[in-house]
Amino acid sequence: MPYGFGLALSSAVLVVAGLVSPSPSAPMTCPPVLPVSGAASAVTPTSVTISYSIFLSPPCGYDPPITIALFASQADAQQWTDPVGEALSGPERSGQLTIGGLTPDTQYWFRFAAGDHRDPYVFASVRTAPVPVCSATIQIGSAWGGGFVATVSVRNVGTEALEAWHVSWQWPGDERIQALWNATAQGAAAVGNASYNGELAPGASTTFGMLVATSMPPGAMALSCDRP
């Protein structure tokens, strides 16, 4: 009987020893993804808008707020020196930030930081838009069930004379140009100037017209104008 009691006691000690001496835990492994990502989502001549998403929290990633720093050269961005602009996010883990006061038609580089932690992964460039040289606006005149007539005004909004212009847009439906005047067709939704109205001094304007077939006339439309 004493011999059997000794075995039971010995087992109890082993179980208790196992409880108070757990095995060491395995080190944490971060998933094989970037902790943050970003890309330019919009540009104007004087600003850039960067979209960002924070995927991982510490210790593998970051918590908001996050800072986007913009640099004038690739070397400055690599060394993180002399940022030309910064924008700080709110508590959201994804969103958009805009940095303004920039030079038109200029390339910049952006990077991310969270507090004192500078992200070493995201390193990308973005270019501001050039100053527009012309604008185009459309006015739909008479319209009926099978089509409409539209007049487009083209204006030189730059500081230099235009020798030629190009206007393009996107049709919202099944529109098709049937006839065109004071312009030359350059695609299903693009035209260029005629031989006699391409030159526009600063502030000067001209017009062209088109007859369009469609099952339903469109509402407001945005047109782009630039040099060809």
Side-chain angles (χ1 to χ4, degrees):
M1 177 65 70
Y3 180 72
F5 178 78
L7 286 177
L9 181 61
S10 177
S11 287
V13 172
L14 289 176
V15 171
V16 172
L19 290 175
V20 298
S21 302
S23 302
S25 59
M28 180 177 181
T29 301
C30 294
V33 297
L34 293 178
V36 62
S37 71
S41 55
V43 297
T44 72
T46 58
S47 69
V48 298
T49 299
I50 308 298
S51 298
Y52 70 91
S53 294
I54 306 173
F55 298 114
L56 302 177
S57 298
C60 296
Y62 316 110
D63 283 330
I66 196 165
T67 297
I68 296 179
L70 199 68
F71 302 88
S73 71
Q74 185 175 7
D76 286 347
Q78 288 173 334
Q79 299 171 14
W80 208 289
T81 57
D82 300 325
V84 298
E86 291 183 339
L88 182 66
S89 77
E92 304 82 11
R93 300 192 68 85
S94 64
Q96 295 182 333
L97 294 174
T98 298
I99 299 176
L102 307 178
T103 303
D105 199 17
T106 301
Q107 191 169 22
Y108 294 90
W109 284 259
F110 65 88
R111 300 190 67 177
F112 291 103
D116 296 331
H117 302 284
R118 294 174 175 176
D119 179 72
Y121 304 109
V122 178
F123 183 94
S125 65
V126 57
R127 193 175 195 89
T128 51
V131 175
V133 296
C134 57
S135 65
T137 56
I138 186 171
Q139 182 177 1
I140 296 178
S142 57
W144 56 96
F148 62 90
V149 174
T151 300
V152 177
S153 297
V154 179
R155 178 177 296 274
N156 182 349
V157 297
T159 58
E160 299 178 355
L162 275 178
E163 296 181 354
W165 46 263
H166 173 86
V167 175
S168 61
W169 61 93
Q170 287 188 338
W171 291 122
D174 60 352
E175 294 84 358
R176 302 175 309 282
I177 297 176
Q178 300 295 294
L180 183 68
W181 52 96
N182 295 337
T184 56
Q186 296 183 348
V191 303
N193 58 273
S195 60
Y196 48 83
N197 64 353
E199 295 185 7
L200 294 176
S205 63
T206 188
T207 62
F208 68 88
M210 52 186 171
L211 171 65
V212 181
T214 181
S215 58
M216 181 178 295
M221 287 178 53
L223 284 69
S224 299
C225 183
D226 206 343
R227 288 187 176 93

